[in-house]
Amino acid sequence: MSPNTTTQENADDALGGIRFLRERGFTKIGIIGHSEGGLIADKVAANSDLINFIIEIGGPVVSGDEILVFQNEILLKDGGLPDEYIKMYSDAMRGMLESQKENENVIFDETKYEIFSTENSLNPVIAPLAKNLKDNFSSLTPWLKYFINYNPAIDIDKITVPILMLYGEKDLQVPPSINVPILEKKFPRIDIKVYPELNHLMQHCLTGKITEYAEIEETFAPDVLKDMKEFIFSLE
């Protein structure tokens, strides 16, 4: 994936493919999207009438900046950092992302954040964290800038076709703990299922960590495939 290609551009490409199929006589077309693919499915289904259903696997419902902060907190916690350091990092990261969101007249002032203090610049643990923030979030790629500004719930609200949302309980990239409650509250018509012991890739796992993915022999949990099949055939 190019860092210069946004989710919107990927959605435009997907819609082009769907139009191609429609022009050749296919009348029942759905989208199955994993992770960002779920966002692409949302955008296509919300802005066209060419889709009959969508299935999202580990699809975000909250905005990208919330997802990014959560992911970084998990990584730092996994690295054994104290809670106070993680909070310090997260507070600054939120401020940096907020300052680069559209329609937000926010100027990032690093002097307001403890992680950038003169004292912490000499701390052998905190100083690299501060450098990481500046290296990764001072200037955003087009993809990342779009991602932090996009709120998928707005498009989900426009979708009228059947939706199935699937999550792994141990997903640490798009955790059900921050996405499913929003779905249940705002979109009760959507079918939702959370699978115990599955990670972001829908593999049975021990921890859900990214480093564990390649160590797992299973490609995709069969029970998830079964539920997807049953959902699709129930629409006929």
Side-chain angles (χ1 to χ4, degrees), residues 51-69:
I51 295 299
N52 298 95
F53 70 88
I54 62 176
I55 298 175
E56 297 191 35
I57 305 166
V61 180
V62 298
S63 59
D65 54 332
E66 290 187 58
I67 292 288
L68 288 173
V69 170

Side-chain angles (χ1 to χ4, degrees), residues 11 13-33 40-42 44-46 48-55 159-163 231-233 235-236:
D13 286 347
L15 184 56
I18 291 162
R19 289 195 177 111
F20 177 87
L21 293 174
R22 286 282 186 180
E23 289 168 0
R24 277 148 186 81
F26 292 92
T27 58
K28 294 182 179 180
I29 301 173
I31 299 180
I32 300 175
I40 293 169
D42 291 335
V44 172
S48 77
D49 59 358
L50 304 179
I51 295 299
N52 298 95
F53 70 88
I54 62 176
I55 298 175
I159 298 172
T160 58
V161 298
I163 308 174
F231 173 77
I232 294 171
F233 279 104
L235 305 175
E236 292 186 349

Side-chain angles (χ1 to χ4, degrees), residues 139-159:
S139 179
L140 305 182
T141 65
W143 179 86
L144 192 52
K145 194 171 185 67
Y146 188 93
F147 184 65
I148 68 168
N149 279 281
Y150 178 52
N151 181 356
I154 295 175
D155 275 336
I156 292 172
D157 192 44
K158 301 175 185 176
I159 298 172

Side-chain angles (χ1 to χ4, degrees), residues 96-183:
M96 295 180 83
L97 294 177
E98 191 69 21
S99 70
Q100 299 188 67
K101 295 186 76 170
E102 296 172 358
N103 304 319
E104 295 286 347
N105 187 23
V106 178
I107 298 175
F108 181 73
D109 180 0
E110 70 175 53
T111 63
K112 295 180 179 180
Y113 297 91
E114 188 179 357
I115 197 169
F116 297 118
S117 69
T118 302
E119 178 183 353
N120 283 327
S121 68
L122 303 175
N123 185 303
V125 177
I126 299 177
L129 294 176
K131 182 179 184 303
N132 180 72
L133 281 170
K134 289 184 177 181
D135 289 348
N136 288 288
F137 302 112
S138 291
S139 179
L140 305 182
T141 65
W143 179 86
L144 192 52
K145 194 171 185 67
Y146 188 93
F147 184 65
I148 68 168
N149 279 281
Y150 178 52
N151 181 356
I154 295 175
D155 275 336
I156 292 172
D157 192 44
K158 301 175 185 176
I159 298 172
T160 58
V161 298
I163 308 174
L164 176 63
M165 306 282 280
L166 307 175
Y167 294 92
E169 184 184 40
K170 291 189 175 181
D171 187 340
L172 299 181
Q173 291 186 254
V174 184
S177 60
I178 63 174
N179 289 280
V180 170
I182 295 174
L183 287 171

